Amino acid sequence: MTFEPRIVGFLCNWCSYTGADLAGTSRINYQPNVRIIRVMCSARIDPTFVMKALAEGADGVLVCGCHPGDCHYTEGNYKAMRRYPLLKRLLSDYGIEEERFRLEWVSASEGKRFADIVDDMTERLRELGPSRVKAALATDAAER
Amino acid sequence: MNEPRVGVYVCNCGTNIAKMVDCDGVAEFASSLPGVVVARSYKYMCSNPGQEMIVQDIEQHDLERVVVAACSPRMHEATFRRALETAGLNPYLIEMANIREQCSWVHSDPVGATDKAKALVHAAVNRVIRHEPLERMSVDMCPNTLVIGGGIAGMTAALELADAGKRVYLVERLAKLGGNVARVDLTAPYLDSARDIITFLVTRVTEHDNIEVMTESTVEGLDGFVGNFKAAINCKGDPGVEVDVGSVVVCTGYKEFDAARITHYGYGKLPNVITSFELEHMLREGRIETKEGKAPQYVAIVHCVGSRSEEYHSYCSRVCCMTALKYAHEIKSALPGSYVSDVYVDMHAFGKGCEDFYRRSSEVKTLFLMYGRGEHPVIRKAAAGDDCDMLIEVNEKLSGETVEIPADLVVLMVGMEPRDDVHDVAHLVSISTDKDGWFIESHPKLDPVATTTDGIYIAGACQAPKDIPDTVAQARAAAARILAKVARGKLVIDAVYAEVDEDRCSGCRVCNELCPYVAIEYDEEKRRSHVISALCKACGACVAACPSGAIKARHFTDEQIFAEIEGVLE
């Protein structure tokens, strides 16, 4: 049986969650590997959410917000945009492959784009294999 | 922790969910989750019996929390919140799992879809256990309305509101009211005069005591929230005009497609190739003539210029087909000896009276030639000896033959497209645009004039190409929506906002600068930050940034989101 990655998706309420809903109303088929958690704005996504998801066994974390300039809250997505490289670097210092964390802009009209992103991320994670974060944390805890 | 008693309801949505997700299996899975005392699968949870089932269970099983796994919360969260209120539960003690738009409708593998639905239900149960009852705020609803755009949509909405006794500020960027309809001669399909329609509206609007018309004006800023907006208007060069409004109707219309973008029709090169609006101008002047000042003997009308094309706009502009037929009538009656040919792709005659109009046009001996989608007729200058200015070659689909027709005047039916400033307007009032640039309505069928931002409405062609009757209907509908809110006087606003735990706040003021709404004030005396809840729009930027973890996003707390993360991954 092939490995099926589990992806946690944090989507902003106004653009990306609506875009994901549009993929549904347009019946655009994509891989069932993503589990979506709705937040009001991508700026709400605390880096600990991403860490928590990886620690709980997610093979990948996807963050989606409105396109730059289109944020419902004027500039929240810029905050997400600035946090992203910092967190990405931190994760890479921990040895977590960069394919496991992704930030994408998805507008309310981009159902197809959302579906394509999920398919692409699923495919990449299938190739990459399961995340070792949860197991490593368990070993670490046992050794202590 | 004493776990609250949870009820879980898995909606089949007829077969919409049930055909891909094993709903009974999901309900059975849910019944095994901690805290869940009742879990059911039912055909339509949003139906009356579905809602009654929840209400009865709350009473019989002493439920304290409810999970509904169904459509998107954007669709029915409000419905189920009302059901909870009916049963005497706080409306925030429900969580929806989106297993339709984000599951059954997008997956083709029943096993994968069912697993995903279970994970989403698990997350919702985990989350709802941590929900807190929240009290909504009640605020005054300002009865005034700002209408942006003085075309037919804006004027109609303004009159409807003003006639109900409410104050309207009608802002138009140009010197004159009327919009694009003011550039039109007659209207299809009844051939009544656009001038009469516009004159009637402009007269009533300008004379109305309740309407303040601001021409040569633009809206520069909009602050606040539904019922309590403050708009900054640049009125004829005076940038300091501020008005208080409770609602905004955006009626910014459209612009016509620039025919010069299509080179193969020779627009801008061949002098007698003109656009539909240029013909309207001639018709309004009462003189149809070529650049040489002669009455044309042969007039050809070309449809779908910029519309229904891969290269330009994929959508249909909706009004051009009937407008083209209107031209055939007007040209025939102004120049009885002329020959009119109508070069089209498909004839869209969907509106009331339009099919009859099409039949009548066929009877006045208009020559109809059909060309294929993805092709285009070729226009070239005629030879010196020909009795016409140009020749048009068409691969006629119905006969299967290539025909050549003469033309002295070619009219390009240019489609509608979003105005260049749509993104500025969208940004100004916090609404979204679709892939083509039209403003997005709250729901395409159930809520076509509201937007996802409370208090902001859209009407007319800024939402999508539409004709005058549809525009007027939408404008009046927007006004009715506003009047319904104004009639209640008070407005209940969402209880979701951020709050600072003063005991944990270190007074670092990081959040003060982050807030896009200046909703966080700093108390110098206490050395603590404080959120003004009425101004907070709940984005949560401050929550994620607070180094002390002192700010709580009500209904989106860290604890609730952590619980959700655990739920989807268990």
Side-chain angles (χ1 to χ4, degrees):
Chain A
M1 206 174 106
T2 55
F3 158 66
E4 286 300 337
R6 291 190 299 174
I7 303 168
V8 175
F10 294 101
L11 271 59
C12 86
N13 180 52
W14 304 98
C15 292
S16 308
Y17 193 88
T18 312
D21 273 355
L22 180 67
T25 43
S26 320
R27 309 297 199 278
I28 300 168
N29 199 75
Y30 60 87
Q31 299 293 326
N33 301 56
V34 70
R35 278 92 174 99
I36 295 169
I37 293 177
R38 181 168 67 121
V39 290
M40 292 301 273
C41 177
S42 52
R44 171 69 185 97
I45 300 161
D46 191 313
T48 57
F49 295 178
V50 179
M51 312 275 247
K52 169 84 176 168
L54 292 167
E56 291 291 335
D59 297 296
V61 176
L62 173 64
V63 168
C64 297
C66 312
H67 283 269
D70 279 351
C71 177
H72 182 79
Y73 302 106
T74 321
E75 53 194 22
N77 49 1
Y78 289 104
K79 288 163 189 139
M81 193 198 247
R82 271 182 241 126
R83 274 179 205 143
Y84 175 71
L86 288 173
L87 183 54
K88 190 129 187 149
R89 210 178 126 185
L90 187 70
L91 294 176
S92 120
D93 286 350
Y94 284 144
I96 297 168
E97 301 88 339
E98 69 163 335
E99 290 91 330
R100 299 204 188 277
F101 178 41
R102 190 157 161 178
L103 172 70
E104 293 282 356
W105 311 127
V106 175
S107 80
S109 61
E110 291 177 328
K112 175 81 172 75
R113 179 174 157 77
F114 178 74
D116 289 346
I117 289 167
V118 172
D119 280 348
D120 182 68
M121 190 165 178
T122 304
E123 202 41 59
R124 281 165 194 257
L125 291 174
R126 269 188 198 135
E127 281 167 28
L128 190 66
S131 162
R132 300 181 311 269
V133 179
K134 194 177 179 180
L137 285 170
T139 317
D140 193 46
E143 280 170 6
R144 254 183 228 175
Chain B
M1 169 164 133
N2 201 357
E3 296 250 296
R5 298 166 65 82
V6 185
V8 177
Y9 301 88
V10 184
C11 181
N12 302 1
C13 195
T15 57
N16 277 297
I17 296 172
K19 73 169 180 231
M20 193 54 63
V21 171
D22 171 12
C23 293
D24 295 348
V26 174
E28 200 187 313
F29 162 80
S31 65
S32 71
L33 296 172
V36 175
V37 293
V38 52
R40 301 183 196 279
S41 158
Y42 185 67
K43 207 150 193 68
Y44 287 107
M45 282 315 301
C46 64
S47 68
N48 284 338
Q51 293 186 56
E52 277 160 24
M53 180 192 286
I54 297 176
V55 174
Q56 275 184 8
D57 279 355
I58 291 173
E59 285 160 6
Q60 281 173 13
H61 297 272
D62 292 324
L63 298 182
E64 298 163 282
R65 300 286 189 279
V66 171
V67 166
V68 181
C71 50
S72 170
R74 293 175 58 253
M75 183 84 200
H76 271 310
E77 192 173 46
T79 310
F80 295 117
R81 280 183 173 173
R82 278 196 297 274
L84 262 69
E85 281 183 298
T86 307
L89 266 192
N90 182 282
Y92 289 89
L93 299 180
I94 184 216
E95 176 67 9
M96 287 188 76
N98 186 340
I99 61 165
R100 191 180 75 173
E101 281 84 342
Q102 296 182 2
C103 191
S104 72
W105 277 353
V106 287
H107 304 318
S108 51
D109 160 30
V111 176
T114 302
D115 282 351
K116 178 174 173 178
K118 286 178 184 170
L120 294 174
V121 166
H122 197 159
V125 170
N126 269 10
R127 189 189 207 278
V128 85
I129 286 169
R130 288 157 181 88
H131 278 199
E132 294 165 316
L134 300 174
E135 292 311 315
R136 289 175 173 142
M137 284 188 291
S138 174
V139 295
D140 287 331
M141 171 80 201
C142 173
N144 307 339
T145 301
L146 170 68
V147 177
I148 308 175
I152 193 155
M155 289 193 289
T156 305
L159 280 171
E160 193 75 18
L161 291 158
D163 284 345
K166 308 302 168 200
R167 183 117 197 98
V168 179
Y169 302 97
L170 178 59
V171 176
E172 165 58 45
R173 69 192 168 91
L174 299 178
K176 277 188 176 162
L177 296 173
N180 283 316
V181 179
R183 303 161 65 197
V184 171
D185 185 44
L186 303 183
T187 60
Y190 302 115
L191 303 178
D192 36 2
S193 158
R195 201 177 313 214
D196 290 353
I197 297 171
I198 290 297
T199 308
F200 170 75
L201 287 173
V202 172
T203 310
R204 280 215 62 213
V205 164
T206 44
E207 284 175 355
H208 209 298
D209 288 340
N210 290 333
I211 303 178
E212 186 168 332
V213 178
M214 300 174 171
T215 48
E216 292 176 276
S217 301
T218 48
V219 182
E220 302 289 319
L222 187 76
D223 286 326
F225 54 96
V226 56
N228 299 271
F229 292 111
K230 227 177 228 338
I233 299 165
N234 182 322
C235 186
K236 293 190 165 78
D238 172 10
V241 181
E242 267 206 2
V243 295
D244 290 321
V245 294
S247 321
V248 179
V249 191
V250 180
C251 309
T252 48
Y254 68 96
K255 73 176 172 90
E256 76 254 38
F257 177 80
D258 177 9
R261 286 173 64 191
I262 300 183
T263 50
H264 54 243
Y265 289 145
Y267 180 76
K269 296 221 167 57
L270 295 169
N272 288 316
V273 175
I274 64 170
T275 68
S276 37
F277 275 102
E278 287 165 335
L279 180 66
E280 293 285 359
H281 184 74
M282 288 185 189
L283 293 167
R284 283 171 69 93
E285 298 286 309
R287 199 168 54 232
I288 307 168
E289 57 183 29
T290 63
K291 277 282 167 329
E292 295 77 24
K294 288 191 297 197
Q297 179 163 27
Y298 304 104
V299 182
I301 302 168
V302 179
H303 287 230
C304 290
V305 177
S307 308
R308 305 180 72 224
S309 91
E310 295 288 313
E311 215 174 325
Y312 302 101
H313 299 304
S314 57
Y315 55 81
C316 165
S317 289
R318 291 191 64 164
V319 302
C320 334
C321 279
M322 292 306 106
T323 306
L325 296 186
K326 178 197 84 163
Y327 292 155
H329 277 268
E330 289 197 75
I331 293 163
K332 284 273 189 184
S333 77
L335 309 166
S338 63
Y339 297 91
V340 178
S341 45
D342 195 283
V343 187
Y344 69 102
V345 187
D346 293 298
M347 188 63 72
H348 287 185
F350 55 84
K352 190 172 181 177
C354 291
E355 196 60 39
D356 290 341
F357 186 53
Y358 179 28
R359 208 189 51 242
R360 288 206 307 278
S361 304
S362 315
E363 285 161 6
V364 293
K365 297 229 168 79
T366 305
L367 174 66
F368 287 101
L369 299 169
M370 188 186 206
Y371 71 97
R373 216 173 156 175
E375 295 177 19
H376 60 82
V378 180
I379 305 173
R380 64 185 164 88
K381 193 91 185 137
D386 292 332
D387 75 332
C388 57
D389 184 40
M390 293 165 284
L391 290 165
I392 307 181
E393 192 183 290
V394 186
N395 283 327
E396 214 287 320
K397 252 175 83 177
L398 299 177
S399 63
E401 286 172 20
T402 301
V403 290
E404 199 167 58
I405 54 166
D408 297 314
L409 194 63
V410 175
V411 183
L412 303 179
M413 299 305 303
V414 288
M416 293 185 184
E417 62 182 21
R419 291 175 39 77
D420 294 332
D421 59 7
V422 278
H423 294 291
D424 298 334
V425 176
H427 200 236
L428 179 81
V429 299
S430 291
I431 60 174
S432 308
T433 52
D434 68 13
K435 68 176 172 53
D436 297 309
W438 306 110
F439 296 134
I440 301 182
E441 61 281 2
S442 171
H443 189 283
K445 294 186 179 65
L446 301 175
D447 205 0
V449 298
T451 65
T452 48
T453 301
D454 227 2
I456 311 289
Y457 301 86
I458 47 178
C462 62
Q463 183 255 350
K466 58 174 64 68
D467 59 9
I468 295 171
D470 284 0
T471 295
V472 168
Q474 220 183 9
R476 288 184 190 272
R481 291 293 305 277
I482 292 167
L483 290 172
K485 272 209 164 92
V486 171
R488 284 195 294 266
K490 288 273 181 186
L491 198 63
V492 175
I493 58 171
D494 204 5
V496 178
Y497 51 84
E499 59 191 10
V500 179
D501 178 349
E502 291 194 354
D503 291 338
R504 292 175 95 176
C505 174
S506 68
C508 74
R509 306 188 66 174
V510 161
C511 56
N512 297 192
E513 294 295 310
L514 273 178
C515 179
Y517 303 103
V518 211
I520 308 181
E521 59 182 8
Y522 183 68
D523 186 330
E524 294 283 354
E525 222 162 87
K526 286 193 197 161
R527 298 198 172 190
R528 297 288 183 268
S529 291
H530 168 77
V531 177
I532 307 161
S533 48
L535 292 181
C536 174
K537 296 197 182 180
C539 69
C542 58
V543 186
C546 177
S548 316
I551 314 182
K552 179 164 126 184
R554 288 165 40 121
H555 210 56
F556 286 90
T557 65
D558 286 354
E559 202 199 358
Q560 288 163 357
I561 292 171
F562 281 167
E564 241 183 310
I565 296 170
E566 285 169 13
V568 292
L569 291 168
E570 252 170 282

